[in-house]
């Protein structure tokens, strides 16, 4: 423990978290975790710790994870060149299998096991379990990249109801049972909407939306979804942040109260965002 | 908020409380609160805040309160001299009514209302509600001072089951329905035993058990119940601390895992004792 | 037992009560009990016996009590003069505490204990428990006299659901937690409406509404709420009966099926009203 | 209503029934009703009324009925001579069918319908429903007269659990599905034991057990099962009362607390026995 | 077992039944069984076997039975001439009793027992149990022939909920408790509608609706309820089939999805209709 | 559909399955599926169909899968030589990851999706989910090959309770969260024992235990666990069948009623074994 913080200070910190705990108690919070934010073991452990804590104090956390780098790593090992078109991975049969294996086999179960060592109880699901996500082909030239045709959240509710933390890989089957890779941000947004989540927290490796991308002091803390279009036009939201921001808007439109893009590199950024009076990124609201 | 503690530090404090939260999650903790520890509004608010927080993070808190000074105050107002025999209040009919009114009417409901303003949900009970405590006359010369003839914890389980914090006044009826004053330490001890509580926390206005009562640095942090008799013989435990210590032993004998005598004057001493790695008084164990 | 009634007659009486028992089975009946009707021990015992019986045969009885004389008694003892303005008690801080202590501490718990000795299971509540009644100041010149800002009946439903008789004192806290005295007739009326009670039985020390107040043979057995205004204009309903009658109308408007003003001095008047073919006062309906 | 009993007296009668209602609340009481006690419409209506009342005040009544005279009546109509051996009906295939039809078709459903017109909710069962009673041949020379091979009370518990009064005909199938006539006293005794009934009330057309059968003033109000053998030897219990008394003893041995042989010809004898301080026959206990 | 079907073929048959099992799983299917289709023991055993199987694979089967021939048999035995008016039995008091006894006593309980020997769990009900069917006189000149005044399906839902197969005799009481004979086709149709059954299967001793009654090859497999009137006008539906067809239409109008008239003489016709791709009679739909 | 089997024959097959369905209804059956038996798509589809059917008719099926060939395939692709010691795979860090990915990512989710396309509802789990299996190192020279240190079946019960088919990959974490490969036969045996399964069905690519391995007509249909040791000594059970047979014995010892080694190459062998009167392999019993 941090020796410089007295136990009285510790107690005060806990008591000051009370209104935030009350606010989220019994509510569903979807956390999207993936990409570079997920690389280091230390970060994973910190994020899973935050999730176990939230779960224990009565928040119904649903973890949706992605997996970029590890997919490329395995593709590399089997001698396959990743190929992207408009930022989306061209996914042939073999790549589709690799994605499924890395996401649902390696990352998902490792996160589940990590939660277990931290005293939490998690069950790993994919979009294929109990027909949670049905995919359909997004575009012929992308292969097995799917868009979400329908969402059935029953398995998530059932798993939450039994007291587990659902950890979800965003691979999904089409009506013939073939596996598709589904974008994790899109899936998290759709699920958060269907689950009527109190909030969606999207962990990235950026500080949030910066008015001047080179100046971290220009963070825009709060964005109304009505402003997003003009922020894109102005170039403030650009590149890979555009689809992320659109997912945030989509979640708000589907009924999520608040959506946060936060900096996953900051330790315990979920707890800071959720249980203290300060934010660590950009909040979208309707 | 305390400006000197950064939000990262706050998050760390929360995450460091995780194993303690896990330890107490779903367990019953009986808090005995009374006497001088209860006098100031600020202390009451702090203690009730601690209880609301514990309740929210899944601890089943049962609050047993006493009430010394306010009883004397009302007795004074109606021109009645408090009379004690061997540390026990001689309780005639009129005094018995005053005790009942102050405990079950004033203090109990005020604590319940205070919990409400802090966002908790409490129901105030007395030993008379649903026959929770049956009293019998302790001694003829003390009047309506009762000892506990039997305990029926059903109402407490029912109130906990519905999600409320039970707040309990230690007045009890005998089989004819007459009200008796019951010692709050004794009642808390008996209730904690009957409820199979994980722990009983007795809040006092002392630092705990001191080897040298004049030297606060001689606190004995841990006492095995088998040592209590010799500590009394040696005079280390003396005066009003003797019946308190005996209540602690009794609770351990009835199956409570750990009993704490803590200093209620230290702000948030319950949280420090429960959710940090340091103790703030004396722990009894079996 | 009354020797003059044979056991066959007893059985017939029971069987003749069958349709009335069927009518009230599983329904909520709010009983308002207070004032002079509550003074004698014998009357209290008889009324609590009636309530235990109703509860046992499947009626969900909710008892709302007042407390007039005992409040004055304690105010007298502490040398405080009761002061009334337009029939409402001017309530300073000290008076407010006395009211809380007498109602929630003395009368409530004594009724609860009495029910216990009669074989019933009661839990005493006040408007402060679980935020059941929120008060706001009625008028600046009356001090801590509250009107009801909002009603949350959850605690009553929970207590009924667990099989207890809720016994309710009409003291309530405002949003800061300060205690207010709330008129018991008004509270009973509001609660009966919120609980969708089958009936509200208000026990008084009058025969009901008399066309000629000096002639008990002029009892008006049934009043439609639409007639109340003209009965007040005609002076048939006058004095302290006016607010009572208005509470009856209010309860009907809020959805209570039938409201009875009955004579609490008649032994077992609740049972006579509820389980026989004769009434003992005035029934209001919509 | 009986005009000579005032409403106050009615209320007193109800309140005096309180301890008896409390005693039986939530308990199972098996009523055996049959033979001559069942002949008149008036008697049936009175007995069913008693049962509906008991059911409504929380007693779990299980009605086991017999049917003597109506069986003979139908046998007579089809030109069949009843034939008895040692007091037991010799039962050929055709007789067995007549018994089944009269008991399970006519009497059972008529009692069920009568309970319905009195505001109760009954479901008629036979030993054949859900395998409640399995029969085996008692003796080769008696044909389809069965003894009880096994009892499965699940259907009764399920029907009680859903709030119905089970009304049971004592016909039962053997393992091949063939129907047997089973003695109703024996079946009631076995069922009461298996159901752990609080009491078994056997309605007869006698006053109970008389020391001198010609002198109704010699009723023996209480019999310990240990005395039954000597009462039989002394001839006090004789003839058709012997098997009845043996059923009573058997029920006590199987765990029923109290067994009553009461006079079904006395109107409301069940209520008098159950809800007043006087008995109307002979009580057996262990 | 049929030796000519290999175990592999058996497994294939089972697996080919899968979509049909899925279609009916958890749904209510009302089977009307009566008249000549019910005469032979072999047929009864086969039909009950089908019902036990359907029940076991998750179909909520409700069996409504009639009873023609056995009623006449008993009427004959007691020397009573059956008398019909417009195809309806003239039912005096004595006949009404015979009908009740044969249906609710003999046939009902025998079917219940037969289900038991096949490993199923059934409870026999009549329209009189728990007020399921209330009858009123259909016509003065027919005596105790009733039409259905109201339906209360609660007992059926309760019996299904506890896992039993309800077996229902179509006798019903009027508001005074007197028993009426109710047409079984009508009752099955009304019950199926009230229960929102997935389908109603009416077992007859015909092949279904034949365009040329003398040519079994002219079976009309599917009829839309809108065609029924013209089929009657054309004489295709005639005689006793007219009220049957009208019951089918009525059931469809009350919300039953599909109604089947099938040939009960074909062994296992229920299973063939329900769990294979071929029909064995005429299906009505809306 | 097979045209040569008439619909009547189909119905008869279904009805002849009735006693088998009754035997397994509501019971847990663990199916171990893996290795060569799992290779062809057709076989997988047939086996999953059998499981969906069993699930639908009320059997609580738990599917434990292995995965041999596909693991080697991926190891081959990444240029890793499989290395075995005493029939157990030497598992370094990279191999351990490959096993986890193939089992929990590829095979598990593909089976889950296949069940979905057949109308079933499955949830894929691994030993890591909710701490179901805790592993510890089997031997230092084998690397990440684990034996089962403890089993927590709660997640399986919860998933069954919500109506899903649990599909389980036998990878497990040790107390530090590191993933181990656990033998699927051993895991299935341990799980079946802990779940108190009615039976364990182990699908292999052999006919069962043959007295003469070269003569398929020498199948031993039934083996008592007490005979296994001598069968091993005699060489009848040899090679890879030895650990399989030991797992069967272990399951019986842990309370599984019957264990089957069946030939997964025979289409629908599970259904033939479970729902017909013939066996397709060797049954072990205690």
């Amino acid at each position: 423990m941090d020796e410089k913080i007295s136990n009285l200070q510790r107690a005060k910190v806990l008591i000051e978290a009370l209104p935030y705990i009350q606010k989220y108690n019994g509510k569903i919070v979807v956390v999207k975790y993936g990409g570079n934010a997920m690389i280091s073991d230390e970060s994973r452990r910190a994020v899973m710790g935050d999730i176990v804590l939230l779960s224990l104090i009565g928040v119904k956390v649903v973890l949706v994870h992605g997996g970029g780098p590890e997919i490329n790593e395995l593709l590399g090992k089997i001698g396959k060149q990743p190929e992207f078109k408009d930022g989306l991975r061209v996914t042939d049969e073999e790549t589709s299998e690799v994605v499924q294996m890395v996401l649902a086999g390696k990352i998902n179960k490792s996160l589940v096991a990590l939660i277990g060592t931290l005293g939490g109880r998690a069950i790993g699901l994919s979009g294929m379990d109990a027909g949670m996500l049905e995919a359909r082909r997004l575009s012929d030239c992308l292969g097995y990249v799917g868009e979400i045709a329908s969402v059935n959240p029953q398995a998530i509710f059932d798993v939450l109801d039994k007291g587990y933390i659902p950890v979800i890989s965003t691979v999904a089957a089409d009506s013939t049972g073939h596996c598709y890779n589904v974008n994790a941000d899109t899936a998290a947004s759709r699920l958060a909407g269907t689950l009527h989540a109190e909030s969606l927290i999207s962990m990235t490796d950026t500080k949030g939306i910066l008015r001047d991308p080179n100046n971290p002091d220009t963070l825009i803390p709060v964005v109304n979804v009505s402003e997003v279009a003009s922020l894109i036009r102005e170039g403030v939201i650009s590149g890979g942040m555009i689809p992320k921001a659109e997912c945030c808007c989509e979640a708000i439109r589907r009924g999520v109260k608040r959506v946060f893009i936060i900096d996953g590199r900051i330790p315990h950024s979920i707890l800071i965002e959720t249980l203290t009076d300060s934010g660590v990124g950009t909040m979208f609201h309707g």
Side-chain angles (χ1 to χ4, degrees), chain A:
Chain A
M1 283 201 174
D2 189 332
E3 298 293 318
K4 288 170 300 190
I5 304 177
S6 73
N7 278 317
L8 173 54
Q9 283 175 311
R10 289 177 182 281
K12 277 191 181 155
V13 165
L14 291 165
I15 211 77
E16 284 163 6
L18 183 53
Y20 301 99
I21 296 176
Q22 287 172 327
K23 176 176 155 194
Y24 282 107
N25 198 260
K27 301 285 170 50
I28 291 178
V29 170
V30 175
V31 174
K32 156 72 202 339
Y33 181 48
N36 294 317
M38 203 168 65
I39 294 176
S40 88
D41 278 0
E42 193 185 353
S43 160
R44 286 194 186 198
R45 175 169 288 270
V47 171
M48 292 309 112
D50 290 4
I51 283 170
V52 170
L53 181 68
L54 287 180
S55 165
L56 203 65
I57 62 179
V59 186
K60 296 179 171 170
V61 188
V62 175
L63 176 60
V64 177
H65 68 85
E70 280 157 299
I71 293 168
N72 289 345
E73 194 187 323
L74 183 56
L75 286 174
K77 277 191 187 171
I78 67 169
K80 191 123 196 157
Q81 281 310 99
E83 184 190 343
F84 287 86
K85 213 172 263 177
D86 299 334
L88 292 167
R89 189 190 297 277
V90 179
T91 306
D92 61 9
E93 179 87 35
E94 194 177 33
T95 305
S96 152
E97 270 185 12
V98 163
V99 170
Q100 180 181 339
M101 286 193 293
V102 172
L103 289 182
K106 188 176 171 196
I107 298 175
N108 186 285
K109 296 308 174 188
S110 298
L111 293 175
V112 160
L114 184 49
I115 288 173
T117 64
L118 295 168
R121 299 163 70 237
I123 280 184
L125 299 171
S126 73
M128 298 155 97
D129 289 271
M132 186 201 302
L133 298 175
E134 190 179 308
R136 65 174 161 241
R137 188 166 284 227
L138 184 60
S139 145
D140 279 351
C141 51
L142 288 167
Y144 292 106
V145 173
E147 61 179 5
I148 295 171
S150 67
V151 178
N152 178 351
Q154 191 57 48
I156 301 176
F157 284 126
D158 286 340
V159 161
L160 285 171
D161 187 48
K162 289 289 189 183
Y164 300 101
I165 301 168
V167 177
I168 300 170
S169 306
T170 58
V171 290
D174 66 7
S175 58
T176 72
H178 197 289
C179 179
Y180 280 73
N181 185 8
V182 173
N183 179 270
D185 286 309
T186 312
S189 165
R190 281 294 295 274
L191 285 171
T194 308
L195 294 165
H196 302 300
E198 179 72 12
S199 67
L200 164 62
I201 299 175
S202 184
M203 306 189 72
T204 64
D205 53 355
T206 69
K207 286 200 82 66
I209 294 177
L210 301 177
R211 191 155 285 280
D212 171 358
N214 299 318
N215 182 352
D217 294 342
T218 63
L219 176 75
I220 307 179
V222 179
V223 170
N224 189 297
V225 292
S226 63
E227 307 169 80
V228 169
S230 63
L231 286 169
I232 291 174
R233 275 196 308 273
E234 296 166 25
V236 174
I237 298 175
S238 66
M241 190 55 88
I242 293 178
K244 266 193 197 301
E246 281 170 346
C247 283
C248 294
C249 295
E250 181 66 11
I252 295 289
R253 269 193 296 273
R254 288 181 182 273
V256 179
K257 291 231 186 97
R258 278 172 297 275
V259 178
F260 303 90
I261 292 183
I262 66 173
D263 189 341
R265 299 166 306 182
I266 300 175
H268 303 302
S269 50
I270 296 178
L271 291 191
I272 296 171
E273 184 60 67
T274 315
L275 300 182
T276 75
D277 62 357
S278 76
V280 288
T282 298
M283 181 182 93
F284 293 73
H285 65 99

